[in-house]
Amino acid sequence: MNIAKCLLLVAFATQQLVALAPQDRTPADTAVFIEGGPIAENLDSLRTLVGSVAGEGVWSIFAANLEQKSGVNLLDAQKLEEIGVSSKEAWAIALNMEIESTGTPSKPAFVLIIPAQNNTKLYDFLKGKVAEAQMPVNKEIEPGRLLNFGAENDPGFLVRTPNAVLVSNDQAMVKALQSKASNPIAKAPHYTSMRTHLYGRNQNKAPLVAFYLHPRLIVASLKSQSELLRNLQRDLNKGDENAPVIDDNSPYVAEIRENLQSSGGAIVANAEKLSFYFSYKYKEGYLSDTTKIYPKIVQVKTAPLASDTLARNPVHYTLIKVNALAMIELFKSLSPVFTEKYNKGLQDVNTKLAIDFEADILRSLRGNYNFQVLNIPSEAKTKDILAWELYGTFGIKEGTANNWVKLIKNVEKMVKKAEAKKPNKSKFAYEDIDEGKIITITGEDRMSGPKAKPISVIILVRETEIIVSNSKANAIKATKGGDKTLSERLTRLTYDSAQGIFFLDLQQVYKAVMKMKQGGSLKPYANMLEKLKNFSILSTVTGDFATAETTLQLRK
């Protein structure tokens, strides 16, 4: 044998020893690809998370229960190595399924890819567990390499490959993943672009698990979106059930189908947080094109409200940015009945209030709205509305403040006319202060019974925003902004990228509840509850990606 052949054999043997990554054996047309991190790292992350919140003892209980049921501590990387698992390598699941015409997914075919440093030992271990389970079907099709198990109508397959053991419910699919794919998902644009994005959101670190959807599945799933829109349209069409119903080629669905390129998500778990996020990637430039339906609704670029920069951390903070007129236009495009009712309602409002409501009011909105709760009062005062520090604020365009004052004065005239014969009449008071114009509306509290005191709503009209609160003092607090936005301070999001925020300070809630009578029942869980920092739901639009993220933040 000459030296060239020897080198070729060495090169071939070396190639066989190099672990084949799951994304290299999975075909690019796989419907859903779930990619885990290295097993040992995943276990460390989970152990750290559980230990941080519930204590190391809880993890030990989990491990003991698993060991009792399986004979092996499946939460110990070293024990996994002993049965043949390669704990330093990544695991994965490949799923193939179709979306039915109803929008629901069919039963998926799957392949679980378990990395192996000793494939024979791992195969034999899993084969032994199948035997212990005494399944109706337990037959080796290829001795030492391919096992058929389960039931006739619910088959399972166990396959030994050079560096992984595969578990599947579909023989054809599992055979296709035994070796490197001719067109692997590792090179597919929908996978590579989304993977870069998901890792970037996690400071370029591998998440606990990530998943990627093939574009064909996304397009098929739009059928379910069409169904949701049809249901919405039926509601909008009430009173005229024979109105034409949208199809899958409605302008909105067609626009999304044309521009949506991929989607995926990830779960992150560590000592600091447990987070789940899901992202959509659109064609380059689509999300910034505000002539399109969806970007026009969500792309609101405007200066923060004063209370968006409050120096004090609120108990609760909600921020929503949406173009109201663009949303109305979407509804109008879905339903001619809604259009007819909207136009008639608008005409009635314009007549009654002597104002062009769409031109003077709706078009004055900047598109940013927030609501904040700054405190939780003592248990004795929780029913006292004035004991709460809270307000809502929304932005208006410069030069339109007088439109809102006019609107309120016209509403006052309507109320006076409607309450002319009532003994207790609502009162409107106007006051100019440094922060703007205060309007106090006082009326009956019909919710708290006959002995209830009159209740007041405070409206503070400013040049570029309107604040609605339960007291003058709280309304003025909403004007005291700082240098940094709450979105940056609480959630590390720039104000421009934040499309929606729901934030709850769990520590402030915990401390307030522990002072109440109900707090006694929570004392056994105090060690765990003290470690919960905050909970948030975030919606962002950055570049070509729209992302929703839910996070439970932990105290260090």
Side-chain angles (χ1 to χ4, degrees):
M1 185 180 289
N2 61 38
I3 190 168
K5 289 184 177 179
C6 288
L7 290 173
L8 186 61
L9 285 172
V10 170
F12 179 77
T14 303
Q15 186 178 14
Q16 298 304 304
L17 292 173
V18 175
L20 183 63
Q23 60 266 37
D24 290 321
R25 69 168 76 228
T26 303
D29 63 354
T30 300
V32 182
F33 181 59
I34 302 172
E35 179 180 46
I39 293 173
E41 290 183 15
N42 279 183
L43 290 174
D44 284 343
S45 296
L46 287 173
R47 183 170 187 165
T48 301
L49 174 67
V50 173
S52 297
V53 176
E56 183 64 28
V58 174
W59 181 264
S60 299
I61 293 172
F62 287 160
N65 287 338
L66 283 173
E67 185 169 5
Q68 184 179 16
K69 292 178 180 179
S70 64
V72 176
N73 182 357
L74 300 177
L75 299 182
D76 186 321
Q78 182 59 44
K79 297 299 182 183
L80 292 177
E81 290 278 345
E82 292 176 6
I83 63 171
V85 174
S86 178
S87 65
K88 295 181 181 179
E89 303 297 330
W91 61 275
I93 299 175
L95 288 166
N96 272 331
M97 59 183 176
E98 301 298 332
I99 301 295
E100 307 289 354
S101 58
T102 58
T104 57
S106 60
K107 182 180 179 180
F110 74 89
V111 177
L112 168 63
I113 303 168
I114 308 172
Q117 48 87 14
N118 188 326
N119 58 356
T120 301
K121 184 181 288 187
L122 180 56
Y123 176 87
D124 289 342
F125 173 81
L126 294 174
K127 177 184 171 184
K129 291 302 171 185
V130 169
E132 289 177 12
Q134 298 182 344
M135 297 181 181
V137 177
N138 182 2
K139 179 183 178 181
E140 275 197 303
I141 300 173
E142 297 179 30
R145 208 188 72 81
L146 174 57
L147 174 71
N148 177 207
F149 64 92
E152 293 292 341
N153 59 349
D154 189 18
F157 300 92
L158 183 65
V159 180
R160 180 175 63 85
T161 71
N163 50 54
V165 172
L166 314 181
V167 182
S168 178
N169 65 345
D170 187 282
Q171 188 172 3
M173 184 178 179
V174 77
K175 281 188 174 182
L177 270 72
Q178 291 182 53
S179 57
K180 185 173 182 178
S182 59
N183 181 24
I185 197 171
K187 296 181 179 179
H190 76 272
Y191 167 79
T192 56
S193 60
M194 184 57 66
R195 191 174 193 267
T196 299
H197 171 70
L198 296 178
Y199 274 58
R201 289 189 69 91
N202 193 37
Q203 300 176 332
N204 294 320
K205 298 177 183 177
L208 182 72
V209 61
F211 60 93
Y212 308 87
L213 274 63
H214 190 275
R216 81 167 187 278
L217 193 66
I218 301 168
V219 171
S221 69
L222 288 175
K223 293 180 181 296
S224 61
Q225 288 197 31
S226 296
E227 188 60 30
L228 289 173
L229 289 175
R230 277 191 281 270
N231 290 336
L232 172 61
Q233 188 186 37
R234 290 187 190 102
D235 291 337
L236 297 175
N237 282 343
K238 280 182 178 177
D240 189 354
E241 297 300 329
N242 295 320
V245 178
I246 64 170
D247 59 22
D248 293 343
N249 292 311
S250 69
Y252 173 74
V253 175
E255 178 181 297
I256 297 298
R257 183 172 57 241
E258 179 184 349
N259 291 282
L260 185 59
Q261 292 186 323
S262 64
S263 65
I267 298 174
V268 174
N270 53 46
E272 296 182 0
K273 67 178 181 179
L274 175 62
S275 182
F276 169 76
Y277 43 97
F278 188 86
S279 296
Y280 289 103
K281 183 185 182 301
Y282 295 87
K283 285 183 180 178
E284 184 177 358
Y286 167 70
L287 286 176
S288 60
D289 184 357
T290 53
T291 65
K292 303 293 186 182
I293 298 173
Y294 177 63
K296 189 176 182 180
I297 293 172
V298 301
Q299 283 284 27
V300 174
K301 302 297 183 184
T302 188
L305 303 161
S307 55
D308 284 327
T309 63
L310 193 73
R312 176 178 169 184
N313 281 1
V315 176
H316 168 66
Y317 172 59
T318 290
L319 171 67
I320 297 174
K321 292 198 287 189
V322 62
N323 184 329
L325 275 176
M327 183 70 76
I328 291 171
E329 288 301 318
L330 172 62
F331 290 160
K332 289 168 74 173
S333 74
L334 295 178
S335 170
V337 177
F338 172 82
T339 302
E340 181 182 346
K341 291 181 178 179
Y342 171 79
N343 290 337
K344 185 178 184 305
L346 193 63
Q347 185 177 2
D348 291 343
V349 169
N350 290 345
T351 301
K352 291 177 181 178
L353 295 179
I355 195 171
D356 188 333
F357 192 81
E358 186 171 276
D360 296 339
I361 301 302
L362 292 181
R363 292 191 184 280
S364 74
L365 297 171
R366 289 199 281 134
N368 48 344
Y369 312 81
N370 81 31
F371 175 74
Q372 296 183 43
V373 179
L374 303 184
N375 76 320
I376 300 177
S378 64
E379 186 171 13
K381 294 185 177 181
T382 53
K383 294 182 179 180
D384 181 1
I385 187 65
L386 294 178
W388 292 83
E389 299 176 50
L390 51 82
Y391 48 76
T393 310
F394 57 91
I396 59 174
K397 295 175 183 176
E398 191 170 355
T400 64
N402 286 336
N403 295 351
W404 287 85
V405 175
K406 180 182 177 181
L407 172 66
I408 294 170
K409 287 184 176 181
N410 289 349
V411 168
E412 180 185 7
K413 293 177 183 177
M414 286 181 57
V415 170
K416 284 183 177 180
K417 185 176 181 180
E419 296 180 344
K421 297 181 180 180
K422 290 184 177 182
N424 298 319
K425 298 178 175 59
S426 300
K427 297 178 181 179
F428 288 69
Y430 301 83
E431 177 187 2
D432 289 321
I433 60 174
D434 291 341
E435 291 80 6
K437 181 181 285 292
I438 285 279
I439 303 169
T440 304
I441 305 173
T442 304
E444 290 182 276
D445 180 1
R446 295 184 176 88
M447 307 235 356
S448 302
K451 296 183 179 180
K453 298 178 181 178
I455 190 170
S456 295
V457 175
I458 308 300
I459 301 174
L460 175 53
V461 181
R462 310 185 75 208
E463 188 60 31
T464 59
E465 64 183 10
I466 292 178
I467 301 163
V468 181
S469 185
N470 58 340
S471 75
K472 178 179 175 181
N474 289 337
I476 292 174
K477 285 177 186 176
T479 69
K480 309 303 181 184
D483 297 328
K484 200 170 186 179
T485 63
L486 288 172
S487 63
E488 292 172 301
R489 200 169 74 243
L490 301 178
T491 64
R492 299 179 183 176
L493 288 180
T494 63
Y495 193 78
D496 271 352
S497 66
Q499 199 265 327
I501 294 174
F502 175 93
F503 175 88
L504 186 63
D505 188 323
L506 297 177
Q507 277 302 294
Q508 291 195 57
V509 174
Y510 166 71
K511 290 175 182 177
V513 172
M514 291 302 287
K515 294 177 182 178
M516 299 179 183
K517 291 178 182 178
Q518 300 94 322
S521 62
L522 297 177
K523 285 184 179 179
Y525 310 100
N527 289 338
M528 180 181 72
L529 295 174
E530 286 176 350
K531 295 172 183 176
L532 306 182
K533 187 177 182 181
N534 60 62
F535 173 78
S536 63
I537 301 174
L538 312 175
S539 175
T540 60
V541 177
T542 52
D544 299 319
F545 293 87
T547 301
E549 179 175 356
T550 301
T551 299
L552 176 64
Q553 195 79 31
L554 307 176
R555 294 177 69 192
K556 295 182 181 179

